[in-house]
Amino acid sequence: MSIPDASAKATNQHALPSYLNSERPGPWGIYLQQVDRVTPYLGSLSRWVETLKRPKRALIVDVPIELDNGTMAHFEGYRVQHNTSRGPGKGGVRFHQDVTLSEVMALSAWMSVKNAVVNLPFGGAKGGIRVDPKTLSRGELERLTRRYTSEIGIIIGPTKDIPAPDVNTNEQIMAWMMDTYSMNEGATASGVVTGKPIALGGSLGRREATGRGVYTVGQEAAQHLGIDIAKTKIAVQGFGNVGGIAAKLFAQAGATVVAVQDHGGTVYKASGLDVLALLSHVSEYGSVLGYENAEILPDAQFWGVDCDILIPAALEQQITAENAHQIQARMVIEGANGPTTPEADDILHERGILVVPDVIANAGGVTVSYFEWVQDFSSFFWSEDEINARLVRIMREAFAAIWQVADEHRVSLRTATFIVACSRILQARELRGLYP
Ligand code: GLU
């Protein structure tokens, strides 16, 4: 066996751990490119930038459950704490058949950026289980959630890392997570998760908060571009908690929602879809499939529909180099996390289409999660008006700040958002110093 010499050690000491290989395409690779783009703007703080390129802590857990038919099934779960320089980890948990460690790492990093840009006293974290929850019974889903919570229980907690809903997780799942953690602790810990039912210390306005935030930044961006919302045509991908609520709010403001795409298909109506009717169809049948009062479009045609505002509010990597040229909209508001690839970002930028990036556009959810956490700690609950007013104020102020930075440095809103957020994170990092 050869003994590594000192020079080999010297060259290896900065080598990335294998799971951080940026050559591999995927959400983590995209996030690293975003960090590289912002590094030249970080001044002296750039000496700490390596911190952002590796998660602080990543836990992979086996989640075994007994299925209803008596057999055993094993699922792979994750909880990644990307950064905790500014406070405890914070971010959702997703249940999806395509969840990977790379994806959860990227989502946790985007949480760090998101929480910093709206100035919440949180770091970034994310969790997930690789499972298609639609294949599980309610009992199986509960056992899966409880076992997963117990497994990640060693790193979460109201002052350590606070999960919340994300794709395919909801208030009920948060209730089971809160209960499992509390049973293990021997005390009811309502602040361990957010997005809980109101009866368990959840916050008014939380369910609608992400969609409301998307709408609020949409209003701000439209104002900067001199666009009257009431005269806009909107296309939305994803019609759940984010896209559905955003579409409802835009429609209430007089906009015409012309196209909606979800996992069931694409519906289109040039004169405007009846958003409330479509929402009730989706809540009854699970998707837009079978909705009658509209034209059905082949999925690929969604990207080219005639609209002013496009809202991708589903999953990552939807707007790509292949479809970015077809987009007709004047602005894209990213309700989803990571819906636009860097190549597509450049194409949209060159074509003069404004992209309001995920890390600000969908920050409304975690902002009201923060309100929920504060209310749980103080056991004092606020009115819905108070919550919505504070949410709108925070979103507007954050948007104005990044708009100014984008103007100053002549960069995209995404780079501007990363400049603001990464500077805050790395400033905290520098002030805390390196332990030991
Ligand atoms: N899952 C949401 C997000 O991606 C909310 C996270 C939270 O409330 O902690 O921002």
Side-chain angles (χ1 to χ4, degrees):
M1 197 180 90
S2 65
I3 298 164
D5 65 15
S7 63
K9 198 174 163 200
T11 48
N12 280 339
Q13 68 188 354
H14 293 300
L16 291 174
S18 60
Y19 59 88
L20 295 182
N21 182 2
S22 61
E23 302 303 312
R24 214 184 308 152
W28 180 254
I30 292 176
Y31 163 74
L32 290 181
Q33 287 184 48
Q34 293 168 341
V35 174
D36 286 341
R37 285 182 178 194
V38 81
T39 306
Y41 301 95
L42 296 176
S44 63
L45 289 172
S46 64
R47 75 182 274 254
W48 295 98
V49 82
E50 197 64 25
T51 304
L52 299 173
K53 295 188 173 184
R54 8 185 124 218
K56 174 185 173 62
R57 197 176 277 138
L59 181 63
I60 304 177
V61 294
D62 173 39
V63 190
I65 58 162
E66 188 175 342
L67 299 176
D68 293 347
N69 65 12
T71 62
M72 235 53 87
H74 290 256
F75 299 92
E76 193 161 307
Y78 312 95
R79 184 72 188 171
V80 178
Q81 295 167 352
H82 171 258
N83 189 281
T84 55
S85 293
R86 305 180 67 257
K90 182 87 194 83
V93 170
R94 75 172 49 178
F95 290 176
H96 195 276
Q97 58 276 19
D98 297 331
V99 164
T100 61
L101 179 60
S102 157
E103 182 192 30
V104 179
M105 287 184 345
L107 290 164
S108 71
W110 285 324
M111 287 309 304
S112 300
V113 174
K114 193 184 301 188
N115 292 332
V117 83
V118 281
N119 222 348
L120 307 180
F122 289 137
K126 200 85 174 196
I129 305 180
R130 192 180 312 136
V131 61
D132 179 359
K134 287 190 284 299
T135 63
L136 301 181
S137 70
R138 184 182 159 93
E140 290 165 343
L141 191 62
E142 177 172 353
R143 294 196 287 283
L144 180 83
T145 304
R146 288 187 180 278
R147 181 62 189 245
Y148 168 73
T149 308
S150 211
E151 293 297 340
I152 65 165
I154 53 174
I155 60 167
I156 64 167
T159 58
K160 288 160 82 176
D161 177 5
I162 306 111
D166 197 78
V167 175
N168 291 335
T169 54
N170 56 23
E171 291 178 4
Q172 179 58 70
I173 288 171
M174 294 307 115
W176 290 328
M177 289 188 77
M178 182 277 235
D179 182 67
T180 305
Y181 181 86
S182 298
M183 297 311 284
N184 286 340
E185 288 292 298
T188 296
S190 55
V192 67
V193 290
T194 58
K196 298 179 295 295
I198 304 289
L200 291 179
S203 178
L204 295 168
R206 173 63 185 85
R207 201 183 302 157
E208 302 78 25
T210 314
R212 191 173 295 282
V214 167
Y215 171 67
T216 305
V217 295
Q219 268 182 316
E220 297 299 296
Q223 206 178 354
H224 278 284
L225 298 188
I227 298 175
D228 176 0
I229 291 280
K231 296 202 179 100
T232 56
K233 287 188 257 190
I234 316 263
V236 187
Q237 187 197 39
F239 209 55
N241 194 35
V242 184
I245 303 289
K248 189 171 92 179
L249 294 171
F250 275 105
Q252 276 170 5
T256 310
V257 178
V258 291
V260 171
Q261 177 173 85
D262 73 2
H263 56 93
T266 306
V267 289
Y268 177 79
K269 192 170 184 183
S271 62
L273 295 157
D274 181 340
V275 174
L276 294 183
L278 190 58
L279 280 170
S280 56
H281 176 90
V282 170
S283 88
E284 196 173 341
Y285 300 103
S287 82
V288 300
L289 187 70
Y291 180 72
E292 279 179 352
N293 200 6
E295 246 177 82
I296 309 296
L297 287 189
D299 280 344
Q301 279 183 28
F302 171 78
W303 303 106
V305 299
D306 176 23
C307 66
D308 304 291
I309 302 179
L310 174 67
I311 307 176
L315 293 169
E316 299 94 79
Q317 298 182 70
Q318 299 299 302
I319 303 180
T320 62
E322 280 75 62
N323 60 28
H325 288 288
Q326 299 163 24
I327 290 172
Q328 304 295 313
R330 294 173 67 189
M331 62 181 184
V332 173
I333 310 174
E334 296 185 335
N337 291 308
T340 311
T341 65
E343 300 76 43
D345 230 3
D346 291 341
I347 295 169
L348 297 176
H349 192 69
E350 278 158 28
R351 294 186 56 216
I353 299 171
L354 181 73
V355 178
V356 184
D358 49 4
V359 280
I360 174 76
N362 69 30
V366 72
T367 301
V368 177
S369 273
Y370 165 59
F371 298 161
E372 178 173 334
W373 182 75
V374 169
Q375 291 171 86
D376 288 338
F377 263 97
S378 56
S379 298
F380 178 75
F381 292 87
W382 315 345
S383 74
E384 189 159 1
D385 284 349
E386 208 173 338
I387 286 158
N388 289 342
R390 285 183 199 246
L391 168 64
V392 168
R393 197 174 68 226
I394 287 180
M395 298 296 293
R396 282 193 182 143
E397 281 172 8
F399 188 84
I402 62 161
W403 190 275
Q404 201 186 330
V405 170
D407 233 20
E408 220 169 89
H409 294 286
R410 304 251 143 248
V411 291
S412 68
L413 284 184
R414 191 182 315 278
T415 300
T417 309
F418 270 68
I419 293 174
V420 172
C422 295
S423 303
R424 283 182 183 155
I425 298 167
L426 297 182
Q427 192 194 5
R429 181 81 192 81
E430 184 167 77
L431 285 167
R432 286 178 66 158
L434 202 54
Y435 171 88

